[in-house]
Amino acid sequence: MVVEGKKGGELYRAQRLIRTETNFILNQATKDMYEEAEVEEYEFLGTLDSRTCEHCGGLDGKHYPVKDEKPGVNYPPLHPFCRCTTIPYFADLGGERAARAAEGSSYTIPADISYSEWKAGLSPDEKSKMAFNQKTAKNWAADKEQFAKYKAIFKGKDFPKSFADFQDLKYNRSEVWTEFVRQKQSVLNSLDYSERLDSLFGKVEVRSWYRGHIAQIPQLLDKAEALKEQAEKAFSLRNKYRTQARNMMKDRDKVKDLDKKHPNPSFEEILEHKRRKYHLDGDDLYVDIIRSASTSNKEIDRDLGF
């Protein structure tokens, strides 16, 4: 079962808690049954498929005294979303257990074959497919978020339309993926905010977009207009890009903090600020507003590596 919801989000955290606690309760009930039935040893049982982690796989087939069980160490669950369980251990019991191929079909193997032995016996092609499945399952939530981001940036231009195709590109077509990564920021910087890009991007990505847009402000002014009108236009564009940049940021708590500490001022407020701090007036005042509209905060730029 694929976990829906953004990793780190409320839905994801709720599902992680419910599934992990359910596994814990079921395995504790199984331990109680072992004690009541006077079963002395249990066998750790992992799932023979491509979603099982190496830690759980390494414990598969091993057996321990029931009195020594330790959840998270030698007894499930070992980690969030753990699917492992246990069975009573009896020497030379025989029988079969289920395994699942990379493409999803099930088959049976002797019960005494462990996860490590089963994996070692797979063909090179099957191992490669298994590794791909492990990567896609492990990185599902992060990749889903990245897919939304890249889809918004490239807007379908030779970019995978489905999430499955995106993961195939990322993990199986390294040269093409490397080129997408290389182009990503420059394409993002060229986008106009007519496209909805809300809350998808990190601080560095947004800062690069913002710097690129405010740098173009002087070229967007009509030099035939009076300096005051040019200053008002430049100031308006600066506020517009700052608001749009904040709407693009993934860290919404940071945005709330910025809006509280550094709200967009009005034109009258910036005029008064520059008069008092720099003793500017007349055309000098308007020229400085135009200059500062296309200049980003050097301290923030330095902190983000620009």
Side-chain angles (χ1 to χ4, degrees):
M1 175 181 174
V2 174
V3 179
E4 299 290 344
K6 181 178 177 181
K7 189 172 184 178
E10 292 183 5
L11 176 60
Y12 176 88
R13 290 195 296 270
Q15 290 182 324
R16 179 178 62 188
L17 176 64
I18 292 170
R19 292 181 61 187
T20 306
E21 287 301 310
T22 299
N23 182 295
F24 176 81
I25 292 169
L26 290 174
N27 277 291
Q28 286 300 300
T30 300
K31 186 203 72 169
D32 292 342
M33 180 193 69
Y34 291 158
E35 292 174 341
E36 291 177 9
E38 297 184 351
V39 174
E40 295 184 354
E41 293 188 67
Y42 67 87
E43 180 178 332
F44 193 96
L45 194 66
T47 303
L48 302 186
D49 66 13
S50 55
R51 291 174 55 199
T52 298
C53 70
E54 293 300 322
H55 188 190
C56 292
L59 292 183
D60 178 67
K62 294 185 177 181
H63 49 95
Y64 304 91
V66 172
K67 64 181 179 63
D68 293 336
E69 64 85 25
K70 293 182 180 179
V73 178
N74 60 12
Y75 197 80
L78 265 64
H79 54 76
F81 296 120
C82 184
R83 300 175 297 145
C84 297
T85 186
T86 66
I87 57 174
Y89 173 75
F90 301 104
D92 303 322
L93 185 63
E96 295 182 328
R97 63 184 302 190
R100 186 176 294 113
E103 42 77 26
S105 63
S106 297
Y107 58 96
T108 58
I109 61 173
D112 60 354
I113 293 180
S114 69
Y115 175 89
S116 299
E117 293 169 331
W118 166 75
K119 189 174 181 180
L122 298 175
S123 69
D125 181 60
E126 183 71 358
K127 286 180 180 177
S128 177
K129 292 178 181 177
M130 288 282 182
F132 171 74
N133 287 350
Q134 284 184 321
K135 287 178 183 177
T136 56
K138 179 180 179 181
N139 300 318
W140 187 92
D143 285 349
K144 196 75 173 179
E145 183 177 312
Q146 190 177 44
F147 175 58
K149 177 193 296 186
Y150 275 61
K151 190 174 181 180
I153 293 173
F154 288 98
K155 296 185 286 188
K157 296 177 181 177
D158 299 319
F159 195 73
K161 291 181 172 57
S162 72
F163 178 58
D165 288 341
F166 171 78
Q167 285 195 309
D168 178 67
L169 166 67
K170 183 175 180 180
Y171 298 115
N172 289 331
R173 301 165 60 195
S174 59
E175 291 185 3
V176 179
W177 173 247
T178 299
E179 182 61 19
F180 272 114
V181 173
R182 187 188 67 80
Q183 292 182 6
K184 182 255 299 182
Q185 190 64 54
S186 61
V187 175
L188 173 61
N189 290 353
S190 71
L191 292 182
D192 181 78
Y193 202 75
S194 58
E195 295 292 332
R196 295 297 293 173
L197 301 174
D198 302 51
S199 308
L200 286 173
F201 304 98
K203 290 184 291 186
V204 174
E205 291 170 306
V206 173
R207 192 66 179 178
S208 180
W209 180 93
Y210 175 67
R211 281 163 50 89
H213 278 67
I214 63 171
Q216 298 172 18
I217 288 176
Q219 285 73 52
L220 300 177
L221 305 179
D222 184 353
K223 302 303 188 294
E225 291 183 337
L227 276 174
K228 180 181 179 182
E229 282 70 34
Q230 292 185 52
E232 289 176 334
K233 176 70 177 296
F235 181 75
S236 175
L237 286 170
R238 170 68 172 257
N239 280 352
K240 170 186 173 182
Y241 294 141
R242 178 157 42 194
T243 299
Q244 291 175 350
R246 291 178 184 179
N247 286 339
M248 293 166 66
M249 288 175 61
K250 182 169 55 180
D251 187 345
R252 303 315 296 166
D253 289 336
K254 179 64 175 178
V255 172
K256 291 178 182 178
D257 185 61
L258 287 171
D259 287 342
K260 181 179 180 180
K261 294 180 179 178
H262 305 286
N264 285 335
S266 67
F267 188 66
E268 289 71 25
E269 287 173 332
I270 199 67
L271 287 174
E272 183 59 27
H273 168 73
K274 288 185 178 293
R275 286 191 182 107
R276 285 189 288 103
K277 185 171 183 178
Y278 303 112
H279 307 292
L280 297 173
D281 208 350
D283 286 351
D284 290 340
L285 180 58
Y286 300 135
V287 168
D288 194 68
I289 289 175
I290 294 170
R291 178 201 60 77
S292 61
S294 61
T295 306
S296 55
N297 186 297
K298 290 183 173 55
E299 184 177 346
I300 296 176
D301 289 344
R302 184 169 56 251
D303 289 343
L304 294 177
F306 289 97

